[in-house]
């Protein structure tokens, strides 16, 4: 009987099961029948011992088991919390390799493996069946319907969005499909994404999730989904028809591919939904906690993720699981790439020092399937050691947090032009020395975590009271501004200033060298009411409002215009870093910049001539400034962020050496004649 692959694999006569556990003494596969929504008393269970044990894997064949069968594992063995070993056969466990998961945690006490105290108490004697999720046997994987679009990195424009939140309120999507995989595949949604220039959607986690213990205790949910239960299974909550998530996910990917849009998954291979030692025992902790989690000498979790537990990037069990899971999404569904949440954890075996050549990062980068995908690292974790912007290997692009900070600071009038110049021209100082290209810098101004674009110019403080954590959650380092009023205002002047600054930031993002990442809903002037950590808000706080207003329609049109300019000019999405002579940095007084200019903290204007073709002018000051243009060129205005749609307020050709007045908080783009 073969050991690998792990998981449940049916054939014409039954199903082969295989699960890893180095600490178990006996492992049973439990076949569950009864109503899908039934409680403990409605379910029946047949236990079959997996009689073979090879390479730390328990495996066996059960005749007659077909796709659709619900199952879990029960592990018999030692219960030694101070060594991290917590076998408890009363807890039915989800298969880490399950390709479909059903159900949710309905009783937190039943889901816990201990009584009284997680370290000194006794094992729980409550059978968790009927109170926790189960695995489902599925038919062998199909193959993607069509080839991946393979959009070049230099042409890529990413839109980060939430499957549920992006279409939950969309009026064109049928009500039963809103907030689902099929909703994202609706023609109106796809056409909108194409219109604003998106070539890849980066989906917040779509792996099967379970809410963490602290959320369960207060009746809240993990809306963002950074609480993985099943690394190979699509989240069932995003299916329009219960149980149809595999088919609907595949349809979504195929539809987006047909439109030339790639699908990048935000995955969380750094922790699980079980929380710390006081959390739940619904899969990994009950199977073999020392093989999955980074543990201290007393059996406690080494938590460098801020979630209670950390997957051990040095464990062969974890390395195999993560690589197998990522490969599954590519081969079974045609996924085009991955954004790795808290990716620094993957370079810190046993929660130690960061190593860009760690076993897990290397395994992903050299894998013959995964190496053909777009790989994006979030280059930090919850500790100082984990902040590694620019520190990943050549196979990786990275969320560039320094870009975000530089652009936010400049447009609130507090950032220096030297930092902004480096970030907007591809961050060669960060990525060039490693042999990477400009597109390794994934540039962003906003993300799911933090203020929306609208809130970035409307609030100076976070307003997270609705999260139920006393406004203690979420960062205080927002680098935002409110133009004198915190939140909504009836002042037309303030509203104009906010929109103008927002357009300037959008233009900066889309005209910078590197890979731009928009956030779904920013182009429609979405607000979260100042909430900068809406991870638990599955309501109008997080959902995109598709109501057509003058502001939302105009901002979407503006975004589309700037994206088109970027797409049509190779200079604006170049594949190589600039070299000497290709960029002219120009002082507003009418001369090339000198060394002293770069260190002038009062300068609020940056002017650059790109490849002798585009003249880009950024002015973050609150008053107009005159700029004397280079004498060798005449220029045609192309973009003006002070107008609602970006069309130049004055389209007249600007002659060589003439003076152009830059309005407050504006971006101007001119094409050389």
């Amino acid at each position: 009987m073969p050991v690998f692959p792990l998981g449940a694999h049916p054939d014409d006569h039954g199903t082969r099961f295989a699960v890893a556990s180095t600490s178990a003494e006996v492992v049973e596969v439990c076949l569950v029948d009864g109503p899908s929504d039934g409680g403990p008393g409605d379910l029946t269970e047949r236990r079959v011992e997996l009689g073979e044990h090879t390479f730390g894997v328990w495996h066996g064949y059960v005749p007659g088991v077909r796709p659709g069968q619900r199952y879990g594992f029960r592990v018999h063995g030692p219960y030694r919390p101070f060594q991290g070993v917590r076998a408890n056969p009363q807890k039915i466990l989800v298969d880490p390799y399950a390709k479909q998961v059903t159900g949710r945690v309905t009783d937190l006490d039943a889901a816990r493996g201990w009584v009284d105290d997680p370290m000194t108490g006794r094992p729980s004697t409550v059978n968790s069946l009927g109170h926790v999720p189960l695995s489902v046997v599925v038919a062998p994987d199909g193959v993607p319907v069509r080839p991946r679009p393979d959009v070049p990195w230099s042409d890529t424009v990413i839109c980060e969005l939430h499957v549920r939140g992006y279409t939950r309120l969309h009026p064109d999507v049928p009500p039963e499909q809103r907030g689902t995989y099929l909703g994202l595949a609706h023609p109106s949604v796809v056409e909108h994404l194409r219109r604003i220039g998106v070539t890849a959607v980066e989906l917040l986690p779509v792996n099967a999730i379970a809410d963490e213990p602290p959320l369960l205790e207060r009746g809240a949910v993990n809306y963002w989904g950074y609480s993985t239960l099943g690394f190979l299974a699509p989240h069932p909550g995003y299916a329009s028809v219960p149980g149809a998530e595999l088919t609907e996910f595949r349809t979504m990917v195929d539809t987006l591919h047909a439109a030339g849009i790639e699908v990048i998954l935000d995955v969380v291979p750094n922790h699980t939904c079980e929380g710390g030692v006081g959390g739940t025992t619904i899969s990994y902790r009950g199977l073999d906690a020392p093989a999955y989690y980074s543990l201290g000498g007393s059996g406690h979790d080494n938590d460098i993720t801020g979630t209670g537990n950390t997957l051990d990037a040095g464990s062969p069990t974890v390395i195999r699981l993560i690589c197998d899971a990522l490969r599954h999404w590519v081969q079974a569904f045609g996924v085009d790439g991955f954004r790795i949440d808290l990716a620094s954890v993957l370079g810190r075996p046993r929660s130690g020092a960061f190593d860009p050549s760690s076993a897990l990062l290397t395994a992903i980068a050299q894998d013959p399937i995964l190496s053909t995908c777009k790989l994006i690292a979030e280059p930090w974790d919850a500790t100082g050691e984990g902040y590694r912007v620019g520190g990943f290997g050549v196979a990786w692009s990275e969320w560039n947090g320094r870009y975000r900070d530089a652009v936010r600071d400049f447009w609130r009038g507090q950032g220096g032009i030297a930092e902004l110049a480096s970030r907007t021209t591809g961050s060669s100082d960060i990525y060039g020395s490693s042999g990477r290209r400009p597109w390794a810098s994934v540039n962003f101004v906003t993300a799911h975590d933090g203020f929306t674009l609208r809130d970035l110019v409307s609030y100076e403080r976070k307003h997270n009271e609705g999260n139920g954590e006393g406004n203690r959650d979420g960062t205080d380092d927002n680098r935002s501004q409110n133009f004198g009023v915190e939140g909504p205002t009836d002042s037309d002047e303030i509203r104009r200033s906010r929109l103008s600054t927002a357009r300037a930031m959008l233009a900066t993002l889309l005209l910078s060298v590197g890979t731009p990442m928009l956030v779904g809903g920013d182009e429609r002037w979405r607000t979260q009411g100042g909430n900068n950590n809406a991870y638990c808000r599955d309501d109008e706080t997080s959902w995109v409002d598709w109501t057509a207003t003058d502001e939302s329609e105009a901002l979407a049109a503006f975004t589309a215009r700037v994206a088109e300019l970027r797409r049509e000019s190779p200079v604006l999405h170049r594949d190589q870093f600039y070299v000497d002579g290709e960029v002219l940095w120009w002082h507003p007084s009418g001369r090339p910049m000198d060394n002293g200019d770069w260190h002038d903290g009062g300068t609020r204007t940056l002017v650059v001539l790109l490849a002798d073709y585009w003249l880009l002018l950024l002015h973050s000051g609150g008053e107009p400034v005159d700029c004397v243009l280079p004498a060798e060129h005449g220029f045609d205005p192309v973009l003006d962020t002070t107008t609602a749609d970006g069309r130049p307020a004055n389209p007249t050709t600007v002659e060589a050496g003439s003076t152009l007045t830059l309005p407050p908080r504006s971006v101007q783009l001119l094409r050389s004649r």
Side-chain angles (χ1 to χ4, degrees), residues 34-180:
S36 59
D37 57 350
D42 302 316
L43 301 177
T44 61
E45 173 189 5
R46 178 166 67 99
R47 303 185 186 186
V48 179
E49 183 176 332
L50 297 178
E52 299 189 57
H53 185 210
T54 313
F55 307 135
V57 174
W58 299 83
H59 55 110
Y61 185 85
V62 183
V65 174
R66 308 294 298 148
Q69 175 67 59
R70 286 169 291 162
Y71 72 99
F73 295 114
R74 294 189 187 271
V75 172
H76 302 256
Y79 184 84
R80 296 193 289 264
F82 286 96
Q83 296 178 5
V85 181
R86 298 168 179 274
N88 185 340
Q90 292 297 324
K91 307 304 165 184
I92 191 165
L93 307 173
V94 168
D95 182 357
Y97 277 75
K99 296 177 181 178
Q100 187 173 13
V101 174
T102 184
R104 59 189 181 88
V105 177
T106 58
D107 186 327
L108 182 56
D109 287 335
R112 285 183 165 130
W114 50 272
V115 176
D116 297 329
D117 184 272
M119 299 302 295
T120 62
R122 64 188 187 280
S124 168
T125 59
V126 177
N127 187 346
S128 65
L129 178 63
H131 303 293
V132 297
L134 294 169
S135 316
V136 181
V137 176
V138 301
D141 295 338
V143 295
V145 175
R146 64 183 73 240
R148 293 171 13 212
D150 284 331
V151 177
W153 260 117
S154 57
D155 294 344
T156 298
V157 177
I158 296 172
C159 181
E160 185 198 39
L161 58 84
H162 190 286
V163 168
R164 177 168 169 80
Y166 199 64
T167 67
R168 183 65 181 79
L169 301 176
H170 200 296
D172 293 345
V173 176
E176 67 277 8
Q177 294 182 359
R178 293 174 187 169
T180 71

Side-chain angles (χ1 to χ4, degrees), residues 57-58 71 85 107 132-133 143 152 248 282 303 311 374 407 547 552 564 670:
V57 174
W58 299 83
Y71 72 99
V85 181
D107 186 327
V132 297
V143 295
E248 294 190 10
I282 56 179
D303 180 14
L311 288 172
K374 287 183 166 70
V407 172
T547 303
S552 66
E564 183 179 16
L670 299 90

Side-chain angles (χ1 to χ4, degrees), residues 241-265:
V241 176
E245 59 266 25
L246 279 74
T247 300
E248 294 190 10
F249 185 89
R250 186 172 284 109
T251 297
M252 176 194 71
V253 174
D254 180 53
T255 301
L256 290 168
H257 281 179
I261 298 174
E262 296 181 312
V263 178
I264 298 171
L265 302 188

